[in-house]
Amino acid sequence: MRTKWAIVTGTVFTLLLSACGSGGDSDNASTPLRPPPKVATLGPFAGECGHVTDDEVRDLGGLGQVSQVLRNSVGCNWLSAGVGSIGVTFASYRGSPIAREKAWVSTQGRNPQTIDVGGRSGWQALDPSGDVCDLAVQLGDDFFEWSMSFPPYSSHDNPCDRVRKMAELTVQRLQ
């Protein structure tokens, strides 16, 4: 008796599942639910630390004595020695939309302005206090970004002028 109920239950279950099919040829069956992902075209290699040396960052950034340099596969960070350190960061983004970074910078109270660096488009954004500047340059489907921050209430010139010089070196040295 148990075997009979198992066979009947299995048959009913199989019929129910087969009834859920499309029931015919439909163009919708071959149409993907979303478009295929875009394959990013790699732009020129921005190099380790944007092809800018520690000494060049120190001099252009006005860091004085550099106390710490951190490097990883996508970026570098330099800090000056002393209390209230000046910080400079370089980051390279492969296959990532520059517009997303621009949107994030906007949410931080910075107003990105369109710029051109060595014939390449980008943007720079200075925070209202004048202490932080982010500068990004488009490289095909990639981009790189230089950023500089001064301690609050310090006396300094526009950090965008300094990171622009670093970005110009990066663009000149692209591979």
Side-chain angles (χ1 to χ4, degrees):
M1 183 83 163
R2 286 186 185 169
T3 306
K4 182 179 175 182
W5 279 110
I7 293 172
V8 170
T9 303
T11 303
V12 169
F13 187 72
T14 303
L15 290 173
L16 286 173
L17 286 177
S18 66
C20 293
S22 66
D25 292 336
S26 170
D27 289 336
N28 292 338
S30 64
T31 304
L33 297 176
R34 57 183 154 161
K38 178 185 175 204
V39 177
T41 304
L42 296 180
F45 179 54
E48 181 183 63
C49 302
H51 295 298
V52 179
T53 68
D54 293 347
D55 289 339
E56 289 170 326
V57 170
R58 184 194 67 232
D59 295 344
L60 294 172
L63 273 64
Q65 182 180 352
V66 174
S67 67
Q68 190 172 29
V69 179
L70 305 169
R71 290 179 172 79
N72 65 31
S73 62
V74 294
C76 300
N77 183 286
W78 297 264
L79 292 174
S80 65
V83 176
S85 299
I86 299 169
V88 176
T89 301
F90 170 82
S92 177
Y93 299 88
R94 296 293 238 175
S96 183
I98 193 172
R100 181 177 18 200
E101 186 71 10
K102 185 176 184 180
W104 181 85
V105 165
S106 296
T107 66
Q108 303 306 303
R110 300 178 201 133
N111 184 19
Q113 305 296 312
T114 301
I115 59 167
D116 180 275
V117 177
R120 299 197 180 259
S121 64
W123 52 264
Q124 72 180 25
L126 181 65
D127 78 327
S129 70
D131 294 333
V132 179
C133 179
D134 297 299
L135 186 150
V137 175
Q138 187 79 53
L139 302 174
D141 287 335
D142 307 334
F143 73 96
F144 69 82
E145 182 176 11
W146 281 97
S147 182
M148 183 169 194
S149 62
F150 283 93
Y153 310 111
S154 64
S155 128
H156 55 78
D157 58 352
N158 185 337
C160 289
D161 295 338
R162 295 174 184 235
V163 293
R164 180 166 185 118
K165 291 175 184 174
M166 294 175 217
E168 288 170 350
L169 286 177
T170 299
V171 169
Q172 289 171 11
R173 297 170 180 172
L174 288 174
Q175 297 178 346

